[in-house]
Amino acid sequence: MRLVKLIANLGYGSRKEIQMAIRNGWVTDRDGNPLKVDSKTPHEDILFDDEPLDPPEGMVLLMNKPLGYTCSTKDQGRLVYDLLPDRFRMRKPVLSTIGRLDKETSGALLFTDDGTFLHKVISPKSEVPKVYEAELDRPLKGNEAAIFASGEMMLENEQKPLKPAELDVIDDTHVRLTLHEGRYHQVRRMFAATGNHVNALTRIRIGGLGLEGLGEGEWKLLGEEEKSRIFG
Ligand code: URA
């Protein structure tokens, strides 16, 4: 029964369907021997339909989110989950995004089914910096870096000033901005408060982890070294 529950929790089907799959011999070890419901074969040696099983609970994914996709499981329109295998939506525990990107923001987006890891990444204590590249509608005025770094900038309808953020100027309409917190639409609202408008926004880095060759809409599982880079 352990095997049925394990595979069902990975989203491959209901317990009934998995029982059937086992009975039909679709669940095997690496040598192609069909497994029984009471098999104790290690996770990494189990094949479903000749393919290794998805990783167990505790997985972390990095996606290069394209524009036009929403970070939600059930909004109208295109969802970031549409870019992952369908069964990932049925996993238990659920696979969530770590924070969100706006529909019209692209770039680095993490997912996990590990609640402890999720909280560690978003916790203010971890101070994971997030780096964004923005294209602005109008040339910079020149005082933005000082305003963002001041630790005194207030956004509309907020009670607490923003933490200091670092602005690197690429040219007068292109910047890199490093944030140490994640408020709603933060980058767009920061530039709006300076009288500008963000035309295009992409997150290029979360902590020490960049997109490194991951194309738009692509994703990959993170290993231990890449996970630790988020905090490094
Ligand atoms: N700031 C924004 O304005 N949008 C995002 O998606 C992320 C940060």
Side-chain angles (χ1 to χ4, degrees):
M1 211 50 194
R2 185 200 72 97
L3 186 63
V4 175
K5 188 173 170 199
L6 182 147
I7 300 176
N9 282 354
L10 295 176
Y12 285 83
S14 66
R15 290 199 192 186
K16 247 196 180 143
E17 286 165 338
I18 303 306
Q19 260 169 353
M20 187 77 86
I22 292 173
R23 243 180 259 142
N24 289 344
W26 299 339
V27 181
T28 66
D29 66 14
R30 287 192 176 270
D31 298 324
N33 303 308
L35 299 181
K36 303 233 169 68
V37 284
D38 57 357
S39 157
K40 301 272 188 298
T41 306
H43 191 113
E44 61 276 17
D45 294 334
I46 302 173
L47 304 188
F48 189 98
D49 247 348
D50 297 327
E51 296 290 335
L53 280 187
D54 293 337
E57 181 179 343
M59 76 177 182
V60 180
L61 312 178
L62 173 68
M63 177 184 283
N64 183 354
K65 177 193 171 297
L67 296 178
Y69 284 75
T70 306
C71 293
S72 156
T73 48
K74 48 179 183 283
D75 263 34
Q76 301 260 308
R78 290 176 292 178
L79 310 177
V80 287
Y81 289 92
D82 298 343
L83 299 164
L84 299 171
D86 276 348
R87 62 179 176 272
F88 281 13
R89 276 187 233 215
M90 263 78 78
R91 279 179 71 107
K92 286 190 203 118
V94 293
L95 184 67
S96 322
T97 61
I98 304 183
R100 285 166 170 242
L101 288 177
D102 303 338
K103 186 174 176 188
E104 295 313 330
T105 301
S106 58
L109 178 67
L110 292 168
F111 294 75
T112 191
D113 59 358
D114 178 345
T116 308
F117 185 82
L118 186 149
H119 285 110
K120 191 172 165 204
V121 177
I122 62 175
S123 162
K125 276 194 215 135
S126 302
E127 292 193 7
V128 173
K130 288 162 216 113
V131 186
Y132 295 85
E133 270 184 9
E135 183 191 287
L136 305 171
D137 200 41
R138 289 180 274 282
L140 291 161
K141 292 175 182 155
N143 57 353
E144 292 87 348
I147 296 171
F148 294 168
S150 68
E152 290 170 7
M153 186 178 192
M154 289 293 290
L155 291 178
E156 236 174 86
N157 302 322
E158 300 229 356
Q159 314 300 324
K160 264 176 71 180
L162 295 178
K163 288 187 180 168
E166 293 88 55
L167 186 74
D168 294 307
V169 177
I170 300 169
D171 63 35
D172 62 357
T173 53
H174 293 89
V175 294
R176 214 165 277 146
L177 181 61
T178 304
L179 301 185
H180 302 272
E181 58 191 335
R183 305 215 197 163
Y184 180 66
H185 288 181
Q186 186 170 341
V187 176
R188 293 177 204 276
R189 289 164 75 211
M190 286 170 76
F191 280 102
T194 70
N196 211 327
H197 177 78
V198 172
N199 285 339
L201 185 61
T202 185
R203 182 156 68 191
I204 59 166
R205 193 159 276 282
I206 301 174
L209 185 70
L211 286 164
E212 282 117 27
L214 205 58
E216 248 183 47
E218 291 180 349
W219 59 274
K220 65 175 176 182
L221 276 171
L222 297 187
E224 290 307 318
E225 191 276 324
E226 288 171 307
K227 275 161 60 176
S228 68
R229 262 200 269 151
I230 294 169
F231 306 100

